[in-house]
Amino acid sequence: GVVGAIDAATDDIAMTVSVIDAYIGWALARGKLLGPLFSELYDRSSSPVSLHRAEALDRIRAAVVRRMIELGRAAPNPTALDALVNACEFLVYRAVSLGGTTDLTADARSMMIRIAVVTIGEPDDVRMALQIPGLFG
């Protein structure tokens, strides 16, 4: 779903929002299963979930870089992209593990968009985002 959202985006801001929405949808669909799933994400020694995560993140990073270049943007800094992915993982897990309410999910979504704009965006993206009511307020 995330790679599909990346491929369907018509611009980088739309890509950011659609990827975040796809990821939130994926997490909410798993509900309580997300807890055990996330507990194994970082267990590289014995968990197949960790291997799947690494492969999925490689595909997502490659798709983001490819699509950003197709949209005429510079490829994002790899460290910044990894920081963004990890922040989004945490925020989605937190929202879902605390009940996945509409308010929690909306807060997580807004925070992920702000982090994305500041982390991998350009100065003009930040200026544009500052004009979106409620995003930074």
Side-chain angles (χ1 to χ4, degrees):
V2 170
V3 172
I6 292 166
D7 290 338
T10 56
D11 64 64
D12 48 331
I13 299 299
M15 180 175 63
T16 299
V17 174
S18 62
V19 165
I20 288 168
D21 287 343
Y23 186 50
I24 289 171
W26 172 87
L28 289 172
R30 273 125 193 97
K32 292 185 180 191
L33 176 63
L34 204 61
L37 182 66
F38 267 71
S39 71
E40 295 206 16
L41 283 179
Y42 300 98
D43 182 3
R44 294 181 182 169
S45 65
S46 64
S47 175
V49 174
S50 181
L51 178 61
H52 177 72
R53 174 186 179 266
E55 292 171 359
L57 291 181
D58 286 345
R59 286 193 312 269
I60 290 167
R61 280 191 290 272
V64 167
V65 168
R66 176 187 43 77
R67 192 69 180 127
M68 292 287 278
I69 291 169
E70 288 172 358
L71 292 169
R73 302 290 293 255
N77 174 292
T79 303
L81 189 53
D82 283 344
L84 172 60
V85 168
N86 281 284
C88 288
E89 279 183 335
F90 168 76
L91 288 165
V92 163
Y93 175 72
R94 182 180 181 279
V96 173
S97 68
L98 292 175
T101 66
T102 302
D103 288 345
L104 285 170
T105 302
D107 286 346
R109 180 181 185 268
S110 180
M111 180 64 68
M112 287 187 278
I113 293 169
R114 292 191 311 256
I115 291 170
V117 168
V118 172
T119 305
I120 64 171
E122 296 176 356
D124 284 342
D125 300 323
V126 176
R127 284 188 280 279
M128 185 176 74
L130 287 169
Q131 303 306 312
I132 300 171
L135 187 60
F136 281 91

